[in-house]
Amino acid sequence: MNASLTPAQTVGPFFHDCLLRGDGLASDVAGEGERICLRGFVYDGDGVGVPDAMLECWQADRFTRVGTDARGAYTLNIISPNSVRASGSLTQAPHVSLAIFARGLLNHLFTRVYFADNALNARDPVLLRVPANRRQTLIAMRDADQSEPAFRFDIVLQGNGETVFFDFK
């Protein structure tokens, strides 16, 4: 018997077929409230768009999933989040939580998206724990070229400008 190593495998690009089916569990339809559009790209460490990533967006009691297209672009249609009461007298700035799934990631990544020009960002207890020079990787910028309220948020999986990811162990 010839013993050899099993070839290395990565998590494959199965999201579109398995998790992004149109049955309501994997929908980008927002509920009631002010609708906003969050769009951007998922980039790998070389700055190339990831064509088969999946983003799961969580806010309050709702979630939605979307996949990236061939260029690594995504569009999430969500409800504009409100501030969230934290412990004591602390208030978290309006934000949404994202889980990112992509090939090569054995564990998905977690991040938050805050919105530019919100005064509560300056006092958000989670955002303040992020080093000042990295906070901009968590801020979605208003996209003024759109007719509807829209924000741009790019996700960089590693390397220069890497998005801040949170460890929830």
Side-chain angles (χ1 to χ4, degrees):
M1 184 163 113
N2 183 4
S4 62
L5 295 176
T6 303
Q9 299 291 318
T10 62
V11 177
F14 56 83
F15 306 118
H16 291 270
D17 294 335
C18 299
L19 297 175
L20 295 174
R21 53 188 198 264
D23 62 5
L25 292 175
S27 168
D28 69 341
V29 178
E32 293 187 25
E34 180 190 7
R35 292 174 180 264
I36 62 172
C37 181
L38 182 64
R39 62 173 57 103
F41 289 84
V42 177
Y43 293 112
D44 67 15
D46 293 324
V48 176
V50 178
D52 54 8
M54 182 184 76
L55 296 132
E56 193 168 85
C57 178
W58 290 84
Q59 60 182 116
D61 63 348
R62 302 190 127 305
F63 82 96
T64 187
R65 290 182 186 141
V66 296
T68 56
D69 67 13
R71 301 173 303 131
Y74 73 91
T75 299
L76 280 163
N77 296 304
I78 60 174
I79 297 171
S80 183
N82 293 314
S83 59
V84 178
R85 181 63 97 189
S87 63
S89 63
L90 298 176
T91 300
Q92 294 183 24
H95 67 277
V96 295
S97 297
L98 291 180
I100 298 98
F101 302 78
R103 75 172 76 193
L105 295 178
L106 297 178
N107 297 305
H108 44 280
L109 303 172
F110 296 98
T111 194
R112 283 183 167 197
V113 181
Y114 293 89
F115 298 89
D117 304 325
N118 190 299
L120 291 176
N121 288 349
R123 297 190 319 263
D124 183 89
V126 175
L127 195 54
L128 289 175
R129 295 190 70 175
V130 174
N133 65 334
R134 304 276 323 279
R135 288 182 196 150
Q136 77 280 357
T137 71
L138 299 176
I139 306 294
M141 303 306 291
R142 185 172 294 279
D143 191 346
D145 294 338
Q146 303 299 316
S147 58
E148 78 275 359
F151 291 84
R152 171 76 183 257
F153 184 75
D154 292 336
I155 299 163
V156 180
L157 298 178
Q158 65 180 358
N160 237 1
E162 178 180 323
T163 301
V164 170
F165 299 107
F166 297 95
D167 184 2
F168 291 111
K169 292 181 181 176

